[in-house]
Every structure is written in C-alpha cells, then in structure tokens.
Amino acid sequence: MPARPLAAALAVAAVLAVAGCARIEGAVDAALAPAEPSATAAAFASDFTTDGSVLLTSDVADALEVRLEAWAVDSKRTSEWTPEAANTFGMAVNVADYRAEERAVLADKRRVYLADIAIASTLAPSGAAGPLALQADPRTLVPADTMRSDRGLLLNSYQGGLLLPETALGAVPADTTGVTLEVTLTLAIEAAADGGDFQTVTLDQEIPIAIFPAG
C-alpha cells in the first residue's frame, strides 16, 4: 500500500520540477535579452558615442584612401557629454596609397594635398545650426615647416597628415539630444605617382555625437 503515496509524491515532485525549469528558462531568456538602450542613445545613434572614437574611410581613387578620425578628449567618457560640458574632441586627416609600400618614398606615391577643411554642426532635434563652425586653410593649422605647396597641405608626407588635437563643440541648448558634425575636405589628388597631374575632389563626411541630459 505505501506505493500509492510514493507515486503521488513523485508526481508532485515532477510538477515542481517542470515549474522550476520554466522559471529557470525565463531567467536565462531575460539574461540573454539585449539591454534596453537609454532614451538618448535610442533617439540619436552615434558610433562616436558608443566607442569614444570613429574612423571614416573614403576611396577617392583606385587603392587610394582618405582617412578621417575623431576621438573624445574632454570628457573621454562620452556619457558625460552634456549641453553645458566642454565636449572637446580631436580630429586627424590622413591618406593611404595602397599601390605603394607604406615606407616607400614620396615619389612612389600619389600625392594628396588638403586645400581646405570646413566643419559645421547641426543640433538635434531642432535642426538648428550648432555653435561649432570652422573653415580654414589647413596650412595655417600646422607648424610652418610641415610639407605643403600652393595646392595645400601634403597629407602623405613622412610628417603625417592634418592633426587637430582639441576642438570644442561649444555649449548647446538644454534639450539637445545630439550634434552632427559635417566635415568637408577639399583635396588635390595626383592621378599617378610623380605624374604631376592633379584633380580636385570634395569629400563630405558626417559624425553624429549624442548629447546627454545634465545630471
């Protein structure tokens, strides 16, 4: 006769085991679910904000690449970029000619000159122009001994390209959720290594940057 109570106990244990598995599976599913993004991140997607830096590459000729890089300076924690903070970034412009070895002499590379750089800014969600607006001859932004010509600043010299170590976004309205930088580069690109024939190319790139509520 004791078999009947034992069977009942086993049945109850089985029910509890199934319920326990359901609870465990639910917990696992919850743990594996992607985290809900913050309201600002969801409203204004930005690789710069996610990684603290961004590298944008553009093919301007066969195997010839212009590289635009920007990175956070102050604060390096992009979650601290708020409307009233310094929000300072660095920027560099370089070029790579993949037809030549990296250490090849300049005569073996297609020369690329940067004739002009312009940076504008647009605020979200208003669409208004932001406080950062810059247009400059890049030769005025680097030391006087940097290689240059009447075409502009030489990007693929041994000295490297253009470096802007610190540029501030400037204060923005309190309801700003993001700033988009619009970078325009005017380039003179040599058609063949040491050939002397150049064409003018205008390159436009955008860098979205999220702005978080103060506090």
Side-chain angles (χ1 to χ4, degrees), residues 110-113 151 188-200:
R110 288 166 288 179
R111 289 169 292 177
V112 178
Y113 290 92
R151 294 186 174 88
I189 301 173
E190 194 171 28
D194 209 23
D197 294 326
F198 288 83
Q199 62 175 339
T200 300

Side-chain angles (χ1 to χ4, degrees), residues 96-166:
D97 186 349
Y98 295 112
R99 286 183 181 175
E101 295 292 333
E102 184 177 355
R103 296 178 180 273
V105 297
L106 186 57
D108 292 338
K109 298 178 179 180
R110 288 166 288 179
R111 289 169 292 177
V112 178
Y113 290 92
L114 181 60
D116 185 81
I117 181 170
I119 306 175
S121 54
T122 302
L123 306 181
S126 68
L132 175 58
L134 176 147
Q135 182 167 12
D137 181 335
R139 292 172 294 187
T140 66
L141 305 175
V142 296
D145 62 349
T146 306
M147 294 184 69
R148 62 193 63 209
S149 78
D150 57 355
R151 294 186 174 88
L153 175 69
L154 183 62
L155 292 179
N156 48 350
S157 75
Y158 66 90
Q159 296 164 318
L162 174 68
L163 173 64
L164 302 176
E166 291 190 20

